[in-house]
Amino acid sequence: MIGYLKGTIASIQKHGNRVVLTLDVNQVGYDVQIVPRLLMQLPAVGELVQIFTYLQFREDRMTLFGFGTAAERDLFRQLVSVSGIGPQLAVALLDTLGLQDLVQAIVTGNTRALAKTPGVGSKTAERIALELRSKLAEWRQQAGVMPVPAAGPVLSIQEDVEMTLLALGYTNSEIAQALEAVGQSTALSKQEDPEEWIREAIAWLSR
């Protein structure tokens, strides 16, 4: 209903774990709950900003949630579609992991990373991965949310490589660094054998 708001920042208030941005749009003040990590990207009070929004309807009230990008807003929509995931938990997931790491964790089924978010237990993490994994695998390409650099493996084997390395206990950031590093090899960059990529990545990570 309201795709985004563009106006000047009137105030920023913190209510416990919640951060509320009041945005002045043509002399109308909109209270928008934003993902806390967005604070680092916002300009000063009185400056112009564009916030992508999601309007939640409840019986007793309406709440506007705000995001720095359309991709974050769209991921939020996907998260609240999962049974048992309310908007506050979806905000917490985005704030804890960030857009790329959250999408990566869901697509690769990294429930351990998802469970780092306060309020997300192992069962909830499994449900998120189960319900959104296939949806986000396709969506992240369309939205341009692809964390593995150009030097990484081709898409046809990318997920196999990532999932194997995650299962071995490596983190998303470690895997991304390893694939970028070993992908600099001309011979390996043309190789579509996931076992070769995995072997080289483990060798690099073990140095």
Side-chain angles (χ1 to χ4, degrees):
M1 185 177 181
I2 302 176
Y4 66 86
L5 293 171
K6 190 172 185 179
T8 56
I9 299 175
S11 68
I12 299 171
Q13 299 178 19
K14 296 182 180 179
H15 305 280
N17 294 327
R18 303 182 185 186
V19 179
V20 176
L21 167 72
T22 300
L23 203 60
D24 184 338
V25 181
N26 296 326
Q27 298 184 337
V28 177
Y30 291 87
D31 288 338
V32 185
Q33 183 183 338
I34 61 173
V35 177
R37 66 165 55 209
L38 179 57
L39 281 172
M40 297 182 291
Q41 304 169 26
L42 290 177
V45 171
E47 295 293 323
L48 185 68
V49 70
Q50 177 173 296
I51 300 293
F52 293 87
T53 57
Y54 173 89
L55 181 61
Q56 180 203 31
F57 286 94
R58 295 183 63 178
E59 292 181 1
D60 55 342
R61 64 178 175 179
M62 294 184 294
T63 305
L64 267 174
F65 291 90
F67 311 90
T69 66
E72 287 177 317
R73 189 264 317 278
D74 294 344
L75 178 57
F76 178 87
R77 286 174 174 163
Q78 297 270 20
L79 289 168
V80 295
S81 73
V82 176
S83 175
I85 304 298
Q88 299 304 333
L89 199 53
V91 167
L93 281 160
L94 275 165
D95 188 50
T96 301
L97 294 174
L99 176 66
Q100 289 195 342
D101 283 350
L102 179 53
V103 173
Q104 183 80 344
I106 293 172
V107 170
T108 58
N110 188 355
T111 56
R112 186 170 57 181
L114 294 172
K116 290 179 181 178
T117 301
V120 177
S122 58
K123 289 185 177 179
T124 301
E126 289 172 5
R127 186 163 64 250
I128 293 170
L130 180 65
E131 293 193 25
L132 296 183
R133 187 172 180 175
S134 59
K135 292 180 183 178
L136 294 188
E138 180 179 349
W139 173 82
R140 74 173 180 174
Q141 296 182 44
Q142 297 172 348
V145 186
M146 298 295 293
V148 176
V154 295
L155 289 177
S156 59
I157 65 167
Q158 178 181 318
E159 288 185 25
D160 286 342
V161 173
E162 290 172 353
M163 289 179 65
T164 300
L165 293 172
L166 283 167
L168 292 173
Y170 297 109
T171 65
N172 286 326
S173 60
E174 287 174 334
I175 293 168
Q177 290 173 22
L179 295 181
E180 181 177 17
V182 301
Q184 301 299 326
S185 165
T186 305
L188 188 60
S189 65
K190 298 177 181 178
Q191 179 65 256
E192 294 190 23
D193 179 6
E195 292 184 3
E196 185 67 24
W197 275 93
I198 292 164
R199 184 161 49 247
E200 292 293 332
I202 291 174
W204 186 89
L205 287 162
S206 301
R207 291 187 307 176

